[in-house]
Amino acid sequence: MLRSRTRAAISSARESGIHVVVVTGRMFRSVQPYLEQAGLDDPAVCYQGAAVADPVSGEFLLHVPIPLELAREAIAAVQEEGFGLNCYVDDELYVAEVTPEAERYATFQHLELRVVGPLLEWLERPPTKLVIVGDPERLDALGAELRARFGGRLFIAKSLPFFLELAHPDVSKGSGLQFVADRLGFRREQTIAFGDGENDLELIDWAGYSVAVGNAHPVVKARADLTCPPAEEEGVAQVLEAFLAR
């Protein structure tokens, strides 16, 4: 649930003619309730930039899934290391079996798990992204192994310490926002981007001005132009208020 101060700041920004674009690693189905709460109708960048969706119709205006054979290779590699995966196809979440990790993820994202049995036998269409849920230190080690094995063939980044995400190598939050900018007619030099996770690096590098939220990963703070108060203090709303007051 968006807090009232954040909703008010977003509303004021939109009334001033400013585009407010949500850029997230989440699936569209998961982020849609927040778009509705904020009254946003600009395209939303989802799945780390692998999809851009129309908030009203739910139509994907852009979709860059992982090629099927590459996805199968990645699934096999992750399973060889003893991890399960979340697999996203057609804005639905599929798993081989219900595990504690999968249940925690689905609960956190308010999603329904669709159990399909062995993913390599089930998967017949390119997935939008793959996510591994687990212990942060084990995921760090797995991420290093996957980067060494797949090189530039996959986008690999953590969204939260316990989520390791895999997507098409050509996508990022920055590329997704570039698509929206081209569509809506604004430039990166006119853009302020907010981020907190490792998967936000391409986004804050793309924008003309970048803000790290107070509870952001240290690497994000190091790359951002400004650090605002943490999410608990509605730091994004505070920055919007200060900008509009000028």
Side-chain angles (χ1 to χ4, degrees), residues 20 25 59 61 67 82 90 96 98 104 141 154 159 164 212-213 234 241:
V20 179
E59 174 191 3
L61 308 173
D90 294 332
V98 177
R104 284 197 296 271
L154 284 171
S159 54
L164 182 65
V213 180
E234 297 188 85
E241 291 165 356

Side-chain angles (χ1 to χ4, degrees), residues 6 9 14 25 31 34 82 91 109 145 152 156 162-163 178 189 195 198 213:
T6 297
R14 296 182 72 240
V31 77
Y34 300 98
D91 209 35
Q109 300 276 21
E145 292 176 11
I156 303 171
F162 36 85
F163 297 157
Q178 180 68 66
E189 294 83 6
E198 293 177 68
V213 180

Side-chain angles (χ1 to χ4, degrees), residues 71-124:
R72 287 175 171 160
E73 183 183 352
I75 290 170
V78 171
Q79 291 178 339
E80 286 170 7
E81 297 298 326
F83 292 86
L85 298 98
N86 295 343
C87 183
Y88 299 80
V89 178
D90 294 332
D91 209 35
E92 297 282 0
L93 170 55
Y94 296 93
V95 295
E97 60 181 347
V98 177
T99 64
E101 293 80 10
E103 279 194 309
R104 284 197 296 271
Y105 182 89
T107 300
F108 175 77
Q109 300 276 21
H110 306 290
L111 298 171
E112 178 184 355
L113 289 173
R114 299 189 179 276
V115 183
V116 295
L119 288 176
L120 288 175
E121 297 178 14
W122 168 81
L123 188 63
E124 296 181 347

Side-chain angles (χ1 to χ4, degrees), residues 196-198 201 204 212-224 227:
D196 63 354
E198 293 177 68
L201 290 174
I204 64 172
V213 180
N215 51 321
H217 190 284
V219 71
V220 178
K221 291 182 178 180
R223 295 262 275 273
T227 297

Side-chain angles (χ1 to χ4, degrees), residues 161-201:
F162 36 85
F163 297 157
L164 182 65
E165 312 218 358
L166 314 180
H168 190 287
D170 293 340
V171 308
S172 70
K173 291 184 176 182
S175 68
L177 188 54
Q178 180 68 66
F179 176 87
V180 176
D182 291 341
R183 187 179 181 92
L184 298 182
F186 62 85
R187 302 189 308 276
R188 59 195 302 175
E189 294 83 6
Q190 300 171 298
T191 304
I192 301 174
F194 297 84
D196 63 354
E198 293 177 68
N199 60 326
D200 291 316
L201 290 174

Side-chain angles (χ1 to χ4, degrees), residues 131-144:
V131 174
I132 307 104
V133 184
D135 173 77
E137 292 187 2
R138 291 189 66 205
L139 290 184
D140 285 340
L142 177 64

